[in-house]
Amino acid sequence: MIRPLLYAFGIISCLVSCTNSAVYEKNQTIPDRAWSYEKTPQFDVHIADSKARYNIYINLRHSNEYSFSNIFVLLHEKGAKLVDTAYRKEIPLAQLDGRWFGNSAGSLYEVQYLAKENFVFPDTGVYTFAVEQNMRENPLKDIVDVGIKVVKQ
């Protein structure tokens, strides 16, 4: 009885891992779970295919003690043939009734927010993304990790 379940689990794991087309994913821990304006995590992404389309996600992990139902961030990007820009994004974290969005593990919740869809990089090379918190509270408490995920379409 257990052997068929293990085989099924193995096959499903292989199928799921084969469909992950992320070319980059990295998260940085926010010290003391207090994200200040001065702490802007940066991520260097190497792009080898400038003709492909990419989805760019902001990864965010917060505790259940986080005081707001959303978070505003600035997504900075710079790189070859790309004008240095910053986009303000609002990431919803909770439903109207207060239930948190995302996956939970104990008292932590993880959200992946699609920040840019079908983005085409102008050239190959290294592109730098930075995520800056843009809330009125400084430091912003109960933010655990911030990251970037780049998925090739």
Side-chain angles (χ1 to χ4, degrees):
M1 179 67 180
I2 293 177
R3 189 171 288 189
L5 289 175
L6 288 175
Y7 286 129
F9 179 76
I11 291 170
I12 291 171
S13 295
C14 287
L15 291 174
V16 170
S17 65
C18 293
T19 60
N20 185 2
S21 57
V23 295
Y24 181 88
E25 184 170 19
K26 186 174 181 182
N27 298 307
Q28 291 185 19
T29 302
I30 301 299
D32 301 320
R33 295 184 177 189
W35 192 7
S36 68
Y37 295 142
E38 294 78 29
K39 174 67 176 164
T40 304
Q42 290 193 353
F43 307 92
D44 294 328
V45 181
H46 182 268
I47 299 299
D49 184 358
S50 63
K51 300 202 182 330
R53 295 184 181 277
Y54 296 87
N55 287 346
I56 300 170
Y57 295 87
I58 297 171
N59 296 338
L60 187 73
R61 193 162 13 150
H62 64 89
S63 79
N64 62 352
E65 298 294 318
Y66 183 69
S67 299
F68 305 99
S69 64
N70 66 351
I71 184 171
F72 285 93
V73 297
L74 295 174
L75 176 63
H76 300 270
E77 60 185 32
K78 55 183 154 177
K81 298 183 183 176
L82 190 67
V83 178
D84 293 356
T85 54
Y87 300 94
R88 189 169 195 245
K89 302 289 184 178
E90 178 184 9
I91 303 173
L93 301 176
Q95 299 178 32
L96 292 176
D97 62 5
R99 288 181 291 149
W100 295 110
F101 289 126
N103 299 322
S104 68
S107 64
L108 297 180
Y109 291 84
E110 182 176 21
V111 173
Q112 281 193 342
Y113 174 78
L114 179 59
K116 297 188 87 136
E117 187 173 16
N118 292 319
F119 182 73
V120 177
F121 289 93
D123 200 357
T124 59
V126 176
Y127 290 83
T128 301
F129 292 91
V131 184
E132 177 184 359
Q133 76 101 336
N134 194 234
M135 299 285 282
R136 290 185 180 142
E137 187 173 306
N138 188 39
L140 188 58
K141 297 190 184 316
D142 296 303
I143 299 295
V144 180
D145 294 308
V146 176
I148 291 289
K149 180 178 182 179
V150 179
V151 178
K152 188 175 181 180
Q153 297 301 295

